């Protein structure tokens, strides 16, 4: 309201603008024209006006600001889900409707300024993303940061020995050695982890050619064994044309002797062993086709 008053608008004027649908409130005391998109940029701009100086953006949204766009859930930057904006431990908890409440131990060396906001550094952001309950979420988050080129793995591994007493630090320590930039997206990171947990180290983004004819590009594969593992997500694999394209290319690959394991979202993201079971079954089939020793589950 202070900026509105400086512009010559009284509270009565503002009330009329709000009632008429011309202006809407983002935060207490922060207003925008009603047509402005309610995205993450807007909320951060609002928080910049509203947040105390010792507030720090952390976790997924810090990673997003550092360039790891795919660390957010699909559409999350448009839906503007609660921002991970915390205060240093020992300060009063941040209280507003668009941020997550909490506090965290942060050193000055673990904070950088971006777009006028205090944000955890890429290294600390990567570590924080690793300290979550599920290894799949941990690896996907850390890999997203690692793909930005802003994180040194040796330093990350050294950092993993710290954070004594922090919740889910054991997940971070277990998963940090697996961090890599070989995959192209968080779902592929999780698919790679499911294969790793099934005892397989498959190569990402393997192209299959039949002479000079391109057949397919697999998410993960073992070219020698002719085993491919693919993720069919709803975003790219529900359109009828895409489904028909997938069917044709997989038929061609199978005709060339390949075994293809298709993992869907309900199996990939569930905290069960279903994905690993499907991958192991595919591996056994590929070994049998190659007339090798049966795989021991």
């Amino acid at each position: 309201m202070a900026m509105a008053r400086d512009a010559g608008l009284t509270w009565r004027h503002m009330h009329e603008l709000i009632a008429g649908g011309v202006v809407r409130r983002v935060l207490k005391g922060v207003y925008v024209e009603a047509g402005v998109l309610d995205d993450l940029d807007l909320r951060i701009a609002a928080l910049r006006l509203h947040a105390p100086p010792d507030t720090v953006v952390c976790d997924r949204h810090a990673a997003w600001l550092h360039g790891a766009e795919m660390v957010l859930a699909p559409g999350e930057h448009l839906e503007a889900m609660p921002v991970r904006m915390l205060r240093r431990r020992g300060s009063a908890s941040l209280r507003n409707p668009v941020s997550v409440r909490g506090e965290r131990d942060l050193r000055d060396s673990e904070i950088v300024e971006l777009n006028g906001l205090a944000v955890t550094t890429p290294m600390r952001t990567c570590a924080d993303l690793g300290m979550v309950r599920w290894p799949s979420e941990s690896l996907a988050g850390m890999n997203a940061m690692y793909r930005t080129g802003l994180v040194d793995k040796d330093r990350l591994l050294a950092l993993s020995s710290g954070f004594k007493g922090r919740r889910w630090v054991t997940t971070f320590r277990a998963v940090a050695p697996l961090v890599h930039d070989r995959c192209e997206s968080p779902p592929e990171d999780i698919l790679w982890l499911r294969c790793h947990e099934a005892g397989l180290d498959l190569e990402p983004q393997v192209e299959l050619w039949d002479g000079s004819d391109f057949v397919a590009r697999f998410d993960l594969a073992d070219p020698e064994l002719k085993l491919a593992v693919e993720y069919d997500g709803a975003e790219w694999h529900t359109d009828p044309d895409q489904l028909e394209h997938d069917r044709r290319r997989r038929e061609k690959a199978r005709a060339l002797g390949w075994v293809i394991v298709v993992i869907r979202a309900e199996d990939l993201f569930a905290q069960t062993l279903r994905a690993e079971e499907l991958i192991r079954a595919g591996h056994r089939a590929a070994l049998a086709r190659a007339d090798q020793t049966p795989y021991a589950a």
Side-chain angles (χ1 to χ4, degrees), residues 70-87:
M70 296 186 77
V71 76
L72 298 182
E76 185 174 348
H77 64 296
L78 298 176
E79 296 171 6
M81 294 170 67
V83 180
R84 293 292 300 182
M85 181 174 279
L86 309 176
R87 299 182 96 177

Side-chain angles (χ1 to χ4, degrees), residues 98-109:
V98 296
S99 66
V100 176
R101 293 171 51 187
E103 57 182 10
R104 188 167 296 171
D105 291 318
L106 291 169
R107 302 184 181 92
D108 288 342
S109 61

Side-chain angles (χ1 to χ4, degrees), residues 281-295:
H283 190 218
R284 288 194 294 269
L287 287 170
R289 175 168 290 189
D291 196 27
Q292 297 183 22
T293 304
Y295 179 69

Side-chain angles (χ1 to χ4, degrees), residues 26 152 183:
V26 181
D152 180 82
C183 297

Side-chain angles (χ1 to χ4, degrees), residues 22-265:
V22 178
V23 169
R24 61 181 171 82
R25 187 175 76 166
V26 181
L27 291 175
K28 182 179 179 180
V30 181
Y31 300 83
V32 297
E33 183 183 347
V36 174
L37 183 65
D38 185 19
D39 62 5
L40 186 60
D41 283 341
L42 174 63
R43 293 197 173 191
I44 286 180
L47 282 168
R48 189 184 299 123
L49 295 173
H50 211 280
D54 56 351
T55 301
V56 183
V57 180
C58 307
D59 304 335
R60 300 188 321 278
H61 295 97
W64 185 77
L65 291 174
H66 284 303
E69 296 182 9
M70 296 186 77
V71 76
L72 298 182
E76 185 174 348
H77 64 296
L78 298 176
E79 296 171 6
M81 294 170 67
V83 180
R84 293 292 300 182
M85 181 174 279
L86 309 176
R87 299 182 96 177
R88 296 193 192 194
R89 193 171 301 281
S91 302
S93 293
L94 178 66
R95 295 175 182 270
N96 60 53
V98 296
S99 66
V100 176
R101 293 171 51 187
E103 57 182 10
R104 188 167 296 171
D105 291 318
L106 291 169
R107 302 184 181 92
D108 288 342
S109 61
E110 296 174 324
I111 300 171
V112 66
E113 184 177 303
L114 291 178
N115 300 325
L117 280 177
V119 182
T120 51
T121 62
M123 188 65 63
R124 178 58 196 260
T125 300
C126 190
D128 286 337
L129 290 173
M131 286 182 274
V132 292
R133 180 177 182 178
W134 302 112
S136 55
E137 182 183 351
S138 175
L139 182 66
M142 288 195 288
N143 276 1
M145 272 304 304
Y146 191 60
R147 281 191 287 268
T148 66
L150 301 175
V151 173
D152 180 82
K153 187 172 180 178
D154 289 337
R155 288 182 59 200
L156 183 68
L157 292 175
L159 192 62
S160 68
S161 63
F163 301 102
K164 184 178 180 180
R166 170 81 181 268
R167 193 181 191 192
W168 309 125
V169 68
T170 53
T171 305
F172 173 39
R173 291 171 180 167
V175 175
L178 304 179
V179 168
H180 62 87
D181 60 359
R182 297 163 61 197
C183 297
E184 296 183 338
S185 68
E188 288 183 12
D189 290 323
I190 298 174
L191 187 67
W192 180 92
L193 181 62
R194 300 295 186 228
C195 292
H196 175 80
E197 291 170 338
L200 304 178
D201 183 15
L202 302 185
E203 182 181 346
Q205 312 306 327
V206 173
E207 292 187 352
L208 172 62
W209 292 77
D210 183 13
S212 60
D213 295 329
F214 176 75
V215 177
R217 186 171 186 256
F218 300 122
D219 292 334
L220 296 166
D222 179 339
E224 292 187 6
L225 190 57
K226 292 187 175 181
L227 170 67
V229 180
E230 296 207 290
Y231 167 61
D232 274 8
E235 185 176 1
W236 300 110
H237 298 277
T238 54
D239 178 84
D241 291 338
Q242 181 63 52
L243 290 173
E244 178 60 21
H245 172 73
D246 287 341
R247 186 190 65 78
R248 289 197 303 267
R249 69 185 183 85
R250 286 168 182 166
E251 280 186 355
K252 291 179 182 178
R254 290 183 176 114
L256 293 171
W258 280 72
V259 172
I260 302 173
V261 179
V262 179
I263 306 295
R264 294 182 171 82

